Amino acid sequence: MDASKKPYTVAVIIQLIYTGMFVVSKAAFNQGMNTYVFIFYRQAAGSILLLPLALLHQRKNAQSALSFTLLLKLFFCALIGITFSLNLYHVSLKFTSATVAAATDNSLPAVTFFLALLLRMEVVHLKSPSGIAKLTGVAFCIAGVLTIAIYAGPLLNPLSHSHGQLAPGAPSRAQGGAWIKWTFLMVVANAAWSLWIVLQAALLREYPNKLLVTAVQCVFSALQSLLVAVAAERDLSRWKLRLDVGLLAIAYSGLMVMGVAYYLQAWCVEMKGPVFLAAWTPMCFVFTTLCSSFFLGETVRLGSILGGILLVGGLFSVLWGKSNEREGEIGSMTPRGEMDTNKTDVAVCVSDISKINL
């Protein structure tokens, strides 16, 4: 294969991996797997994979050990951005659809930018094209979420006419109140995840070993998720793993997403940069819509498609604003060759790191 085409192939493979994650996880929930138990097993599998690699990497590079204060920060970051976010996200996935989950993921850059703005980690120049683009992106994302939650629209013909089995107790799209509630709770989960991304900027400045920081938070999240799962599910029979789609979902999320996708993302960002990888995120929405309809028999309504389009528009608007801003900063370098940059560039990088633990 031509070396120049490899990043494009890798970017598509990454989106296919995440499509598989949405579809397989939703299939497991449809079969009755407890979402809290699923999160524990998934984080445990990711910890088993990442922690030895992180410790080996730290030993090779002779880096200093983590201080107690830093461990405490990592514990609370894991609690907010991983344990709380993932549990709420997957419960919402159980009660909505894989298509909605993939669509709302496109709101992450705008939500992250908005939180960074509130925390004064981002600056908006209202009279500049980049500032207008970023605010427009936030508005598009709000409109997209409202469209998905409130407007159902006509039913579009699914690829598969055999309807998949709904998760036990899951509301149908026709049950407007429940659907709206779980759609907005999914956005709340994404907001918690976006806050986690903003906090990572400060943590990584304090301790720049990305792999170890991620692995330690994954371990903390596994322990926290165990307590949540024990409190939520007392029936031991629901904890038993069988050779079914539930075990496949755990193995796939723990190994493919947190292993293969993590490596491919790092390689792709190194080769082409975060904006390149983020620009491929909407492809996951398209793939998930098709696959969930074909494999799960999920019905697709016009409201979900229109909302997804608005979210994708918001994604590209924020990314364009950040890209245009970076070009302006390069053009306004100081005599010493230093750029006048924002404290962090979280919004533009969110899509290439947002799913490491999802």
Side-chain angles (χ1 to χ4, degrees), residues 110 113 129-142 310 313-314 317-318:
F113 162 73
S130 61
I132 294 172
K134 288 188 285 187
L135 291 178
T136 301
V138 173
F140 271 34
C141 285
I142 294 173
L310 287 170
S317 184
V318 171

Side-chain angles (χ1 to χ4, degrees), residues 231-243:
E233 183 55 76
R234 302 295 179 87
D235 185 358
L236 294 180
S237 65
R238 301 289 300 277
W239 287 73
K240 186 177 180 181
L241 294 177
R242 301 175 179 83
L243 292 176

Side-chain angles (χ1 to χ4, degrees), residues 137-270:
V138 173
F140 271 34
C141 285
I142 294 173
V145 170
L146 289 173
T147 302
I148 291 174
I150 297 173
Y151 176 64
L155 181 67
L156 304 180
N157 290 328
L159 296 178
S160 173
H161 294 284
S162 59
H163 295 284
Q165 180 185 0
L166 289 174
S172 68
R173 185 63 178 88
Q175 294 175 269
W179 185 274
I180 292 172
K181 179 183 75 172
W182 290 111
T183 299
F184 277 110
L185 285 176
M186 185 172 285
V187 175
V188 171
N190 278 329
W193 183 254
S194 296
L195 178 61
W196 177 86
I197 293 169
V198 173
L199 296 175
Q200 295 311 290
L203 283 174
L204 291 173
R205 282 197 300 270
E206 184 176 347
Y207 195 86
N209 187 333
K210 298 181 182 67
L211 184 57
L212 184 59
V213 165
T214 301
V216 170
Q217 289 183 87
C218 189
V219 173
F220 280 146
S221 175
L223 296 175
Q224 294 162 356
S225 297
L226 174 61
L227 296 178
V228 173
V230 168
E233 183 55 76
R234 302 295 179 87
D235 185 358
L236 294 180
S237 65
R238 301 289 300 277
W239 287 73
K240 186 177 180 181
L241 294 177
R242 301 175 179 83
L243 292 176
D244 57 10
V245 69
L247 181 60
L248 174 62
I250 292 169
Y252 185 92
S253 298
L255 301 178
M256 289 297 293
V257 175
M258 302 186 71
V260 177
Y262 180 88
Y263 173 79
L264 291 179
Q265 282 182 155
W267 182 87
C268 195
V269 170
E270 184 180 2

Side-chain angles (χ1 to χ4, degrees), residues 25-28 35 43 85 91 131 133 185 198 202 211 230 240 246 279-280 299 319-320 339 345 352-353:
S25 299
K26 178 62 174 174
T35 56
Q43 293 304 105
S85 174
V91 172
L185 285 176
V198 173
L211 184 57
V230 168
K240 186 177 180 181
W280 291 83
T299 56
L319 292 177
W320 183 89
M339 291 189 297
D345 199 9
D352 59 282
I353 64 173

